[in-house]
Amino acid sequence: GAWSVFSPPSDGSNGHAAGVALGQPVAAAPAGGENSLSGMSLFRDLPAEDAAHVIRIAKRLSFEPEAVLCRQGEPGTHLFVIEEGSVRVERNGSLVAVLGPGDVVGELALLDNRPRSADVIVQERTTALTIEAADFQSLIQEHSTLATWLLRQLVTRVRDTQSQQERVDQLV
């Protein structure tokens, strides 16, 4: 289907697609059938009915290297589920993580209405499903099983982060 491609501007001005604010995505391909979610580890345990709701509101976008998905300190307008490619997460200019297929970025700012906690920058051509903030809020309010599932995903991420920090602390 049709794809939207965001490339960093040649002048390096803001990292968003040449003149396209990420909060206003251009025409994008619909996310497609449930199969595009079920193959992703993140969505493996999501009930089919909830996956169908996600598919209805998600858009698939393609991003070129160095495009900025999220900028630290800015309000959250979208969350992204990486389908293909990779992104790096930087906080205050330091690399925090490299994420790839199945990983979600940008959801924290949508959940707590606080500014983005990190920059998320595309490393290689990347395809992602994106969900706008208002659609995301409606989705979790209307579908309690999806909200519960999302909480489990977030708790797992917190525990994994704590475990990684403990390992780092042991090395220091």
Side-chain angles (χ1 to χ4, degrees), residues 122-171:
V122 175
Q123 291 203 139
E124 61 185 308
R125 186 174 174 101
T126 295
T127 303
L129 298 180
T130 181
I131 299 175
E132 293 183 30
D135 290 335
F136 176 71
Q137 293 297 331
S138 295
L139 189 68
I140 61 174
Q141 288 172 3
E142 295 170 14
H143 304 281
S144 62
T145 56
L146 185 60
T148 301
W149 171 84
L150 179 62
L151 284 172
R152 285 191 186 117
Q153 300 301 314
L154 293 172
V155 167
T156 298
R157 185 183 300 177
V158 168
R159 289 184 189 276
D160 289 348
T161 301
Q162 287 173 336
S163 177
Q164 289 174 346
Q165 185 61 51
E166 289 171 4
R167 288 195 295 274
V168 169
D169 290 347
Q170 290 174 355
L171 294 173

mmCIF file of all heavy atoms in Angstrom, residues 122-171:
data_model
loop_
_atom_site.group_PDB
_atom_site.id
_atom_site.type_symbol
_atom_site.label_atom_id
_atom_site.label_comp_id
_atom_site.label_asym_id
_atom_site.label_seq_id
_atom_site.Cartn_x
_atom_site.Cartn_y
_atom_site.Cartn_z
ATOM 1 N N VAL A 122 15.747 7.516 14.505
ATOM 2 C CA VAL A 122 15.813 6.366 13.602
ATOM 3 C C VAL A 122 17.267 6.105 13.223
ATOM 4 O O VAL A 122 17.994 7.024 12.846
ATOM 5 C CB VAL A 122 14.947 6.636 12.345
ATOM 6 C CG1 VAL A 122 15.090 5.512 11.337
ATOM 7 C CG2 VAL A 122 13.487 6.824 12.751
ATOM 8 N N GLN A 123 17.687 4.844 13.329
ATOM 9 C CA GLN A 123 19.065 4.470 12.971
ATOM 10 C C GLN A 123 19.186 4.001 11.532
ATOM 11 O O GLN A 123 20.198 4.229 10.886
ATOM 12 C CB GLN A 123 19.566 3.349 13.887
ATOM 13 C CG GLN A 123 19.787 3.787 15.288
ATOM 14 C CD GLN A 123 20.776 2.881 15.982
ATOM 15 O OE1 GLN A 123 21.608 3.367 16.706
ATOM 16 N NE2 GLN A 123 20.718 1.586 15.792
ATOM 17 N N GLU A 124 18.176 3.278 11.063
ATOM 18 C CA GLU A 124 18.153 2.750 9.701
ATOM 19 C C GLU A 124 16.719 2.872 9.231
ATOM 20 O O GLU A 124 15.830 3.102 10.040
ATOM 21 C CB GLU A 124 18.605 1.286 9.699
ATOM 22 C CG GLU A 124 17.699 0.389 10.544
ATOM 23 C CD GLU A 124 18.199 -1.033 10.661
ATOM 24 O OE1 GLU A 124 18.477 -1.644 9.618
ATOM 25 O OE2 GLU A 124 18.286 -1.528 11.789
ATOM 26 N N ARG A 125 16.492 2.731 7.950
ATOM 27 C CA ARG A 125 15.106 2.834 7.465
ATOM 28 C C ARG A 125 14.219 1.964 8.357
ATOM 29 O O ARG A 125 14.497 0.785 8.543
ATOM 30 C CB ARG A 125 15.010 2.416 6.016
ATOM 31 C CG ARG A 125 13.629 2.655 5.445
ATOM 32 C CD ARG A 125 13.588 2.357 3.955
ATOM 33 N NE ARG A 125 12.223 2.473 3.502
ATOM 34 C CZ ARG A 125 11.724 3.530 2.863
ATOM 35 N NH1 ARG A 125 12.495 4.548 2.612
ATOM 36 N NH2 ARG A 125 10.466 3.551 2.496
ATOM 37 N N THR A 126 13.182 2.563 8.895
ATOM 38 C CA THR A 126 12.349 1.908 9.900
ATOM 39 C C THR A 126 10.876 2.054 9.551
ATOM 40 O O THR A 126 10.439 3.123 9.122
ATOM 41 C CB THR A 126 12.632 2.524 11.291
ATOM 42 O OG1 THR A 126 13.991 2.223 11.644
ATOM 43 C CG2 THR A 126 11.701 1.994 12.358
ATOM 44 N N THR A 127 10.149 0.981 9.745
ATOM 45 C CA THR A 127 8.701 0.988 9.581
ATOM 46 C C THR A 127 8.088 0.840 10.967
ATOM 47 O O THR A 127 8.531 -0.001 11.753
ATOM 48 C CB THR A 127 8.243 -0.180 8.686
ATOM 49 O OG1 THR A 127 8.916 -0.081 7.435
ATOM 50 C CG2 THR A 127 6.740 -0.140 8.461
ATOM 51 N N ALA A 128 7.087 1.664 11.246
ATOM 52 C CA ALA A 128 6.448 1.617 12.562
ATOM 53 C C ALA A 128 4.954 1.836 12.428
ATOM 54 O O ALA A 128 4.493 2.544 11.523
ATOM 55 C CB ALA A 128 7.037 2.693 13.472
ATOM 56 N N LEU A 129 4.216 1.210 13.327
ATOM 57 C CA LEU A 129 2.809 1.541 13.490
ATOM 58 C C LEU A 129 2.762 2.735 14.425
ATOM 59 O O LEU A 129 3.506 2.790 15.403
ATOM 60 C CB LEU A 129 2.040 0.376 14.111
ATOM 61 C CG LEU A 129 2.000 -0.918 13.325
ATOM 62 C CD1 LEU A 129 1.200 -1.972 14.089
ATOM 63 C CD2 LEU A 129 1.401 -0.702 11.942
ATOM 64 N N THR A 130 1.906 3.699 14.137
ATOM 65 C CA THR A 130 1.779 4.857 14.997
ATOM 66 C C THR A 130 0.319 5.055 15.387
ATOM 67 O O THR A 130 -0.580 4.802 14.590
ATOM 68 C CB THR A 130 2.360 6.127 14.325
ATOM 69 O OG1 THR A 130 2.234 7.232 15.211
ATOM 70 C CG2 THR A 130 1.668 6.449 13.029
ATOM 71 N N ILE A 131 0.127 5.456 16.621
ATOM 72 C CA ILE A 131 -1.213 5.710 17.147
ATOM 73 C C ILE A 131 -1.203 7.097 17.775
ATOM 74 O O ILE A 131 -0.342 7.418 18.595
ATOM 75 C CB ILE A 131 -1.616 4.653 18.192
ATOM 76 C CG1 ILE A 131 -1.619 3.258 17.550
ATOM 77 C CG2 ILE A 131 -2.985 4.981 18.797
ATOM 78 C CD1 ILE A 131 -1.875 2.129 18.524
ATOM 79 N N GLU A 132 -2.168 7.921 17.381
ATOM 80 C CA GLU A 132 -2.273 9.269 17.921
ATOM 81 C C GLU A 132 -2.746 9.229 19.371
ATOM 82 O O GLU A 132 -3.460 8.313 19.784
ATOM 83 C CB GLU A 132 -3.241 10.097 17.085
ATOM 84 C CG GLU A 132 -2.730 10.366 15.688
ATOM 85 C CD GLU A 132 -3.662 11.239 14.888
ATOM 86 O OE1 GLU A 132 -4.368 12.081 15.478
ATOM 87 O OE2 GLU A 132 -3.680 11.074 13.664
ATOM 88 N N ALA A 133 -2.364 10.244 20.133
ATOM 89 C CA ALA A 133 -2.662 10.306 21.568
ATOM 90 C C ALA A 133 -4.150 10.154 21.869
ATOM 91 O O ALA A 133 -4.534 9.361 22.733
ATOM 92 C CB ALA A 133 -2.134 11.619 22.153
ATOM 93 N N ALA A 134 -4.994 10.892 21.181
ATOM 94 C CA ALA A 134 -6.440 10.834 21.464
ATOM 95 C C ALA A 134 -6.995 9.445 21.181
ATOM 96 O O ALA A 134 -7.821 8.917 21.949
ATOM 97 C CB ALA A 134 -7.183 11.887 20.649
ATOM 98 N N ASP A 135 -6.550 8.828 20.080
ATOM 99 C CA ASP A 135 -7.002 7.474 19.752
ATOM 100 C C ASP A 135 -6.537 6.476 20.804
ATOM 101 O O ASP A 135 -7.264 5.561 21.185
ATOM 102 C CB ASP A 135 -6.482 7.049 18.372
ATOM 103 C CG ASP A 135 -7.143 7.814 17.242
ATOM 104 O OD1 ASP A 135 -8.278 8.307 17.424
ATOM 105 O OD2 ASP A 135 -6.517 7.924 16.172
ATOM 106 N N PHE A 136 -5.302 6.663 21.262
ATOM 107 C CA PHE A 136 -4.750 5.778 22.283
ATOM 108 C C PHE A 136 -5.548 5.886 23.578
ATOM 109 O O PHE A 136 -5.906 4.879 24.194
ATOM 110 C CB PHE A 136 -3.279 6.131 22.517
ATOM 111 C CG PHE A 136 -2.622 5.346 23.606
ATOM 112 C CD1 PHE A 136 -2.338 3.999 23.431
ATOM 113 C CD2 PHE A 136 -2.275 5.950 24.804
ATOM 114 C CE1 PHE A 136 -1.714 3.272 24.440
ATOM 115 C CE2 PHE A 136 -1.656 5.239 25.808
ATOM 116 C CZ PHE A 136 -1.381 3.896 25.620
ATOM 117 N N GLN A 137 -5.855 7.123 23.998
ATOM 118 C CA GLN A 137 -6.634 7.322 25.224
ATOM 119 C C GLN A 137 -8.005 6.664 25.114
ATOM 120 O O GLN A 137 -8.454 5.984 26.033
ATOM 121 C CB GLN A 137 -6.785 8.825 25.531
ATOM 122 C CG GLN A 137 -5.495 9.514 25.901
ATOM 123 C CD GLN A 137 -4.877 8.983 27.185
ATOM 124 O OE1 GLN A 137 -5.563 8.510 28.072
ATOM 125 N NE2 GLN A 137 -3.562 9.063 27.271
ATOM 126 N N SER A 138 -8.672 6.858 23.990
ATOM 127 C CA SER A 138 -9.984 6.237 23.779
ATOM 128 C C SER A 138 -9.889 4.721 23.812
ATOM 129 O O SER A 138 -10.730 4.043 24.399
ATOM 130 C CB SER A 138 -10.581 6.669 22.434
ATOM 131 O OG SER A 138 -10.842 8.036 22.434
ATOM 132 N N LEU A 139 -8.860 4.207 23.179
ATOM 133 C CA LEU A 139 -8.665 2.757 23.106
ATOM 134 C C LEU A 139 -8.539 2.138 24.491
ATOM 135 O O LEU A 139 -9.220 1.158 24.804
ATOM 136 C CB LEU A 139 -7.419 2.459 22.272
ATOM 137 C CG LEU A 139 -7.156 1.011 21.910
ATOM 138 C CD1 LEU A 139 -8.217 0.516 20.943
ATOM 139 C CD2 LEU A 139 -5.773 0.878 21.283
ATOM 140 N N ILE A 140 -7.710 2.718 25.344
ATOM 141 C CA ILE A 140 -7.522 2.101 26.659
ATOM 142 C C ILE A 140 -8.713 2.348 27.580
ATOM 143 O O ILE A 140 -8.974 1.553 28.478
ATOM 144 C CB ILE A 140 -6.184 2.509 27.327
ATOM 145 C CG1 ILE A 140 -6.096 3.999 27.554
ATOM 146 C CG2 ILE A 140 -5.011 1.998 26.513
ATOM 147 C CD1 ILE A 140 -4.868 4.428 28.330
ATOM 148 N N GLN A 141 -9.463 3.419 27.352
ATOM 149 C CA GLN A 141 -10.651 3.659 28.157
ATOM 150 C C GLN A 141 -11.789 2.722 27.783
ATOM 151 O O GLN A 141 -12.554 2.275 28.634
ATOM 152 C CB GLN A 141 -11.114 5.115 28.032
ATOM 153 C CG GLN A 141 -10.203 6.088 28.744
ATOM 154 C CD GLN A 141 -10.547 7.536 28.450
ATOM 155 O OE1 GLN A 141 -11.500 7.836 27.755
ATOM 156 N NE2 GLN A 141 -9.740 8.448 28.984
ATOM 157 N N GLU A 142 -11.905 2.408 26.512
ATOM 158 C CA GLU A 142 -13.018 1.591 26.022
ATOM 159 C C GLU A 142 -12.750 0.089 26.094
ATOM 160 O O GLU A 142 -13.690 -0.699 26.017
ATOM 161 C CB GLU A 142 -13.348 1.980 24.581
ATOM 162 C CG GLU A 142 -13.872 3.398 24.452
ATOM 163 C CD GLU A 142 -13.966 3.863 23.013
ATOM 164 O OE1 GLU A 142 -13.873 3.020 22.093
ATOM 165 O OE2 GLU A 142 -14.117 5.080 22.809
ATOM 166 N N HIS A 143 -11.501 -0.303 26.239
ATOM 167 C CA HIS A 143 -11.154 -1.730 26.191
ATOM 168 C C HIS A 143 -10.286 -2.082 27.392
ATOM 169 O O HIS A 143 -9.061 -1.993 27.329
ATOM 170 C CB HIS A 143 -10.450 -2.057 24.878
ATOM 171 C CG HIS A 143 -11.265 -1.674 23.680
ATOM 172 N ND1 HIS A 143 -12.305 -2.456 23.229
ATOM 173 C CD2 HIS A 143 -11.229 -0.578 22.890
ATOM 174 C CE1 HIS A 143 -12.865 -1.863 22.190
ATOM 175 N NE2 HIS A 143 -12.237 -0.724 21.969
ATOM 176 N N SER A 144 -10.930 -2.503 28.459
ATOM 177 C CA SER A 144 -10.204 -2.767 29.705
ATOM 178 C C SER A 144 -9.174 -3.888 29.557
ATOM 179 O O SER A 144 -8.125 -3.837 30.179
ATOM 180 C CB SER A 144 -11.175 -3.080 30.840
ATOM 181 O OG SER A 144 -11.917 -4.242 30.546
ATOM 182 N N THR A 145 -9.451 -4.882 28.718
ATOM 183 C CA THR A 145 -8.456 -5.951 28.553
ATOM 184 C C THR A 145 -7.198 -5.411 27.894
ATOM 185 O O THR A 145 -6.090 -5.827 28.226
ATOM 186 C CB THR A 145 -9.014 -7.135 27.724
ATOM 187 O OG1 THR A 145 -9.484 -6.642 26.460
ATOM 188 C CG2 THR A 145 -10.139 -7.848 28.459
ATOM 189 N N LEU A 146 -7.368 -4.466 27.003
ATOM 190 C CA LEU A 146 -6.208 -3.853 26.358
ATOM 191 C C LEU A 146 -5.426 -3.009 27.366
ATOM 192 O O LEU A 146 -4.199 -3.038 27.390
ATOM 193 C CB LEU A 146 -6.656 -2.993 25.176
ATOM 194 C CG LEU A 146 -5.549 -2.383 24.336
ATOM 195 C CD1 LEU A 146 -4.660 -3.459 23.733
ATOM 196 C CD2 LEU A 146 -6.138 -1.524 23.242
ATOM 197 N N ALA A 147 -6.137 -2.282 28.225
ATOM 198 C CA ALA A 147 -5.467 -1.473 29.252
ATOM 199 C C ALA A 147 -4.686 -2.370 30.206
ATOM 200 O O ALA A 147 -3.538 -2.063 30.566
ATOM 201 C CB ALA A 147 -6.496 -0.639 30.017
ATOM 202 N N THR A 148 -5.283 -3.483 30.612
ATOM 203 C CA THR A 148 -4.602 -4.426 31.502
ATOM 204 C C THR A 148 -3.371 -5.011 30.816
ATOM 205 O O THR A 148 -2.292 -5.110 31.416
ATOM 206 C CB THR A 148 -5.564 -5.561 31.917
ATOM 207 O OG1 THR A 148 -6.686 -4.969 32.569
ATOM 208 C CG2 THR A 148 -4.890 -6.561 32.825
ATOM 209 N N TRP A 149 -3.517 -5.376 29.573
ATOM 210 C CA TRP A 149 -2.402 -5.916 28.808
ATOM 211 C C TRP A 149 -1.274 -4.892 28.723
ATOM 212 O O TRP A 149 -0.101 -5.227 28.923
ATOM 213 C CB TRP A 149 -2.899 -6.305 27.416
ATOM 214 C CG TRP A 149 -1.813 -6.676 26.473
ATOM 215 C CD1 TRP A 149 -1.200 -7.888 26.342
ATOM 216 C CD2 TRP A 149 -1.180 -5.803 25.537
ATOM 217 N NE1 TRP A 149 -0.226 -7.811 25.374
ATOM 218 C CE2 TRP A 149 -0.203 -6.552 24.865
ATOM 219 C CE3 TRP A 149 -1.349 -4.462 25.197
ATOM 220 C CZ2 TRP A 149 0.596 -6.010 23.879
ATOM 221 C CZ3 TRP A 149 -0.549 -3.927 24.209
ATOM 222 C CH2 TRP A 149 0.412 -4.702 23.564
ATOM 223 N N LEU A 150 -1.615 -3.630 28.460
ATOM 224 C CA LEU A 150 -0.608 -2.589 28.365
ATOM 225 C C LEU A 150 0.115 -2.401 29.697
ATOM 226 O O LEU A 150 1.340 -2.258 29.735
ATOM 227 C CB LEU A 150 -1.243 -1.269 27.925
ATOM 228 C CG LEU A 150 -0.296 -0.084 27.806
ATOM 229 C CD1 LEU A 150 0.782 -0.344 26.760
ATOM 230 C CD2 LEU A 150 -1.067 1.177 27.470
ATOM 231 N N LEU A 151 -0.622 -2.429 30.789
ATOM 232 C CA LEU A 151 0.008 -2.320 32.108
ATOM 233 C C LEU A 151 1.017 -3.436 32.326
ATOM 234 O O LEU A 151 2.107 -3.206 32.855
ATOM 235 C CB LEU A 151 -1.043 -2.326 33.216
ATOM 236 C CG LEU A 151 -1.821 -1.031 33.386
ATOM 237 C CD1 LEU A 151 -2.962 -1.228 34.374
ATOM 238 C CD2 LEU A 151 -0.897 0.082 33.852
ATOM 239 N N ARG A 152 0.676 -4.641 31.915
ATOM 240 C CA ARG A 152 1.620 -5.768 32.054
ATOM 241 C C ARG A 152 2.886 -5.511 31.251
ATOM 242 O O ARG A 152 3.994 -5.818 31.703
ATOM 243 C CB ARG A 152 0.957 -7.067 31.607
ATOM 244 C CG ARG A 152 -0.018 -7.600 32.604
ATOM 245 C CD ARG A 152 -0.450 -9.027 32.260
ATOM 246 N NE ARG A 152 -1.489 -9.428 33.159
ATOM 247 C CZ ARG A 152 -2.728 -9.739 32.808
ATOM 248 N NH1 ARG A 152 -3.072 -9.736 31.546
ATOM 249 N NH2 ARG A 152 -3.624 -10.080 33.714
ATOM 250 N N GLN A 153 2.731 -4.973 30.050
ATOM 251 C CA GLN A 153 3.891 -4.671 29.217
ATOM 252 C C GLN A 153 4.790 -3.639 29.902
ATOM 253 O O GLN A 153 6.010 -3.768 29.920
ATOM 254 C CB GLN A 153 3.458 -4.152 27.836
ATOM 255 C CG GLN A 153 2.617 -5.112 27.041
ATOM 256 C CD GLN A 153 3.312 -6.428 26.775
ATOM 257 O OE1 GLN A 153 4.474 -6.470 26.392
ATOM 258 N NE2 GLN A 153 2.609 -7.522 26.990
ATOM 259 N N LEU A 154 4.166 -2.622 30.482
ATOM 260 C CA LEU A 154 4.938 -1.571 31.150
ATOM 261 C C LEU A 154 5.631 -2.079 32.404
ATOM 262 O O LEU A 154 6.780 -1.728 32.671
ATOM 263 C CB LEU A 154 4.036 -0.381 31.481
ATOM 264 C CG LEU A 154 3.499 0.378 30.269
ATOM 265 C CD1 LEU A 154 2.472 1.415 30.707
ATOM 266 C CD2 LEU A 154 4.624 1.024 29.498
ATOM 267 N N VAL A 155 4.939 -2.912 33.174
ATOM 268 C CA VAL A 155 5.545 -3.485 34.378
ATOM 269 C C VAL A 155 6.748 -4.343 33.993
ATOM 270 O O VAL A 155 7.798 -4.282 34.639
ATOM 271 C CB VAL A 155 4.505 -4.287 35.187
ATOM 272 C CG1 VAL A 155 5.170 -5.149 36.244
ATOM 273 C CG2 VAL A 155 3.493 -3.340 35.817
ATOM 274 N N THR A 156 6.616 -5.114 32.935
ATOM 275 C CA THR A 156 7.733 -5.934 32.467
ATOM 276 C C THR A 156 8.919 -5.043 32.098
ATOM 277 O O THR A 156 10.060 -5.346 32.448
ATOM 278 C CB THR A 156 7.302 -6.779 31.250
ATOM 279 O OG1 THR A 156 6.258 -7.664 31.669
ATOM 280 C CG2 THR A 156 8.463 -7.580 30.684
ATOM 281 N N ARG A 157 8.648 -3.930 31.424
ATOM 282 C CA ARG A 157 9.734 -3.018 31.048
ATOM 283 C C ARG A 157 10.404 -2.432 32.286
ATOM 284 O O ARG A 157 11.632 -2.341 32.357
ATOM 285 C CB ARG A 157 9.212 -1.889 30.161
ATOM 286 C CG ARG A 157 10.343 -1.007 29.674
ATOM 287 C CD ARG A 157 9.904 0.151 28.866
ATOM 288 N NE ARG A 157 9.196 -0.258 27.669
ATOM 289 C CZ ARG A 157 8.664 0.597 26.816
ATOM 290 N NH1 ARG A 157 8.775 1.887 27.019
ATOM 291 N NH2 ARG A 157 8.042 0.170 25.749
ATOM 292 N N VAL A 158 9.616 -2.040 33.285
ATOM 293 C CA VAL A 158 10.183 -1.487 34.528
ATOM 294 C C VAL A 158 11.059 -2.529 35.211
ATOM 295 O O VAL A 158 12.177 -2.246 35.638
ATOM 296 C CB VAL A 158 9.066 -0.986 35.467
ATOM 297 C CG1 VAL A 158 9.604 -0.700 36.853
ATOM 298 C CG2 VAL A 158 8.405 0.254 34.884
ATOM 299 N N ARG A 159 10.576 -3.753 35.311
ATOM 300 C CA ARG A 159 11.357 -4.809 35.965
ATOM 301 C C ARG A 159 12.646 -5.100 35.192
ATOM 302 O O ARG A 159 13.700 -5.292 35.795
ATOM 303 C CB ARG A 159 10.524 -6.073 36.115
ATOM 304 C CG ARG A 159 9.424 -5.938 37.149
ATOM 305 C CD ARG A 159 8.689 -7.277 37.307
ATOM 306 N NE ARG A 159 7.516 -7.170 38.112
ATOM 307 C CZ ARG A 159 7.498 -7.227 39.441
ATOM 308 N NH1 ARG A 159 8.629 -7.384 40.096
ATOM 309 N NH2 ARG A 159 6.370 -7.127 40.101
ATOM 310 N N ASP A 160 12.559 -5.143 33.873
ATOM 311 C CA ASP A 160 13.759 -5.373 33.071
ATOM 312 C C ASP A 160 14.770 -4.250 33.272
ATOM 313 O O ASP A 160 15.969 -4.496 33.379
ATOM 314 C CB ASP A 160 13.404 -5.488 31.581
ATOM 315 C CG ASP A 160 12.664 -6.772 31.249
ATOM 316 O OD1 ASP A 160 12.611 -7.685 32.106
ATOM 317 O OD2 ASP A 160 12.123 -6.852 30.120
ATOM 318 N N THR A 161 14.288 -3.022 33.331
ATOM 319 C CA THR A 161 15.167 -1.870 33.549
ATOM 320 C C THR A 161 15.828 -1.951 34.918
ATOM 321 O O THR A 161 17.032 -1.698 35.056
ATOM 322 C CB THR A 161 14.382 -0.552 33.404
ATOM 323 O OG1 THR A 161 13.826 -0.507 32.082
ATOM 324 C CG2 THR A 161 15.270 0.654 33.619
ATOM 325 N N GLN A 162 15.049 -2.322 35.932
ATOM 326 C CA GLN A 162 15.615 -2.461 37.278
ATOM 327 C C GLN A 162 16.680 -3.546 37.306
ATOM 328 O O GLN A 162 17.731 -3.372 37.911
ATOM 329 C CB GLN A 162 14.508 -2.790 38.285
ATOM 330 C CG GLN A 162 13.614 -1.624 38.602
ATOM 331 C CD GLN A 162 12.435 -2.017 39.477
ATOM 332 O OE1 GLN A 162 12.008 -3.165 39.509
ATOM 333 N NE2 GLN A 162 11.890 -1.039 40.192
ATOM 334 N N SER A 163 16.421 -4.647 36.623
ATOM 335 C CA SER A 163 17.379 -5.743 36.573
ATOM 336 C C SER A 163 18.673 -5.297 35.891
ATOM 337 O O SER A 163 19.774 -5.617 36.352
ATOM 338 C CB SER A 163 16.749 -6.926 35.834
ATOM 339 O OG SER A 163 17.663 -7.970 35.708
ATOM 340 N N GLN A 164 18.531 -4.556 34.787
ATOM 341 C CA GLN A 164 19.717 -4.047 34.096
ATOM 342 C C GLN A 164 20.496 -3.091 34.992
ATOM 343 O O GLN A 164 21.726 -3.137 35.030
ATOM 344 C CB GLN A 164 19.311 -3.332 32.806
ATOM 345 C CG GLN A 164 18.823 -4.258 31.717
ATOM 346 C CD GLN A 164 18.293 -3.491 30.526
ATOM 347 O OE1 GLN A 164 18.036 -2.286 30.586
ATOM 348 N NE2 GLN A 164 18.123 -4.203 29.413
ATOM 349 N N GLN A 165 19.787 -2.248 35.722
ATOM 350 C CA GLN A 165 20.456 -1.286 36.616
ATOM 351 C C GLN A 165 21.200 -2.025 37.725
ATOM 352 O O GLN A 165 22.309 -1.645 38.094
ATOM 353 C CB GLN A 165 19.451 -0.296 37.205
ATOM 354 C CG GLN A 165 20.107 0.793 38.025
ATOM 355 C CD GLN A 165 21.080 1.644 37.208
ATOM 356 O OE1 GLN A 165 20.723 2.144 36.147
ATOM 357 N NE2 GLN A 165 22.292 1.809 37.696
ATOM 358 N N GLU A 166 20.607 -3.086 38.252
ATOM 359 C CA GLU A 166 21.276 -3.875 39.293
ATOM 360 C C GLU A 166 22.571 -4.481 38.781
ATOM 361 O O GLU A 166 23.588 -4.487 39.477
ATOM 362 C CB GLU A 166 20.339 -4.972 39.819
ATOM 363 C CG GLU A 166 19.199 -4.436 40.666
ATOM 364 C CD GLU A 166 18.147 -5.494 41.001
ATOM 365 O OE1 GLU A 166 18.342 -6.689 40.634
ATOM 366 O OE2 GLU A 166 17.133 -5.122 41.603
ATOM 367 N N ARG A 167 22.545 -4.985 37.533
ATOM 368 C CA ARG A 167 23.758 -5.548 36.931
ATOM 369 C C ARG A 167 24.834 -4.474 36.763
ATOM 370 O O ARG A 167 26.010 -4.714 37.025
ATOM 371 C CB ARG A 167 23.437 -6.235 35.611
ATOM 372 C CG ARG A 167 22.689 -7.549 35.795
ATOM 373 C CD ARG A 167 22.692 -8.387 34.515
ATOM 374 N NE ARG A 167 21.979 -7.768 33.416
ATOM 375 C CZ ARG A 167 20.674 -7.847 33.179
ATOM 376 N NH1 ARG A 167 19.922 -8.547 33.991
ATOM 377 N NH2 ARG A 167 20.137 -7.266 32.142
ATOM 378 N N VAL A 168 24.414 -3.287 36.310
ATOM 379 C CA VAL A 168 25.360 -2.184 36.159
ATOM 380 C C VAL A 168 25.943 -1.801 37.519
ATOM 381 O O VAL A 168 27.149 -1.596 37.664
ATOM 382 C CB VAL A 168 24.679 -0.961 35.495
ATOM 383 C CG1 VAL A 168 25.559 0.275 35.581
ATOM 384 C CG2 VAL A 168 24.349 -1.276 34.042
ATOM 385 N N ASP A 169 25.087 -1.708 38.527
ATOM 386 C CA ASP A 169 25.562 -1.352 39.874
ATOM 387 C C ASP A 169 26.567 -2.363 40.408
ATOM 388 O O ASP A 169 27.523 -1.989 41.088
ATOM 389 C CB ASP A 169 24.365 -1.246 40.850
ATOM 390 C CG ASP A 169 23.491 -0.039 40.556
ATOM 391 O OD1 ASP A 169 23.916 0.845 39.780
ATOM 392 O OD2 ASP A 169 22.360 -0.001 41.097
ATOM 393 N N GLN A 170 26.404 -3.637 40.082
ATOM 394 C CA GLN A 170 27.340 -4.662 40.522
ATOM 395 C C GLN A 170 28.691 -4.518 39.853
ATOM 396 O O GLN A 170 29.716 -4.864 40.419
ATOM 397 C CB GLN A 170 26.767 -6.059 40.257
ATOM 398 C CG GLN A 170 25.604 -6.408 41.145
ATOM 399 C CD GLN A 170 24.964 -7.742 40.762
ATOM 400 O OE1 GLN A 170 25.350 -8.358 39.778
ATOM 401 N NE2 GLN A 170 23.986 -8.173 41.552
ATOM 402 N N LEU A 171 28.686 -3.993 38.633
ATOM 403 C CA LEU A 171 29.941 -3.811 37.896
ATOM 404 C C LEU A 171 30.721 -2.601 38.396
ATOM 405 O O LEU A 171 31.935 -2.543 38.251
ATOM 406 C CB LEU A 171 29.669 -3.650 36.408
ATOM 407 C CG LEU A 171 29.094 -4.875 35.692
ATOM 408 C CD1 LEU A 171 28.717 -4.512 34.260
ATOM 409 C CD2 LEU A 171 30.102 -6.002 35.702
#
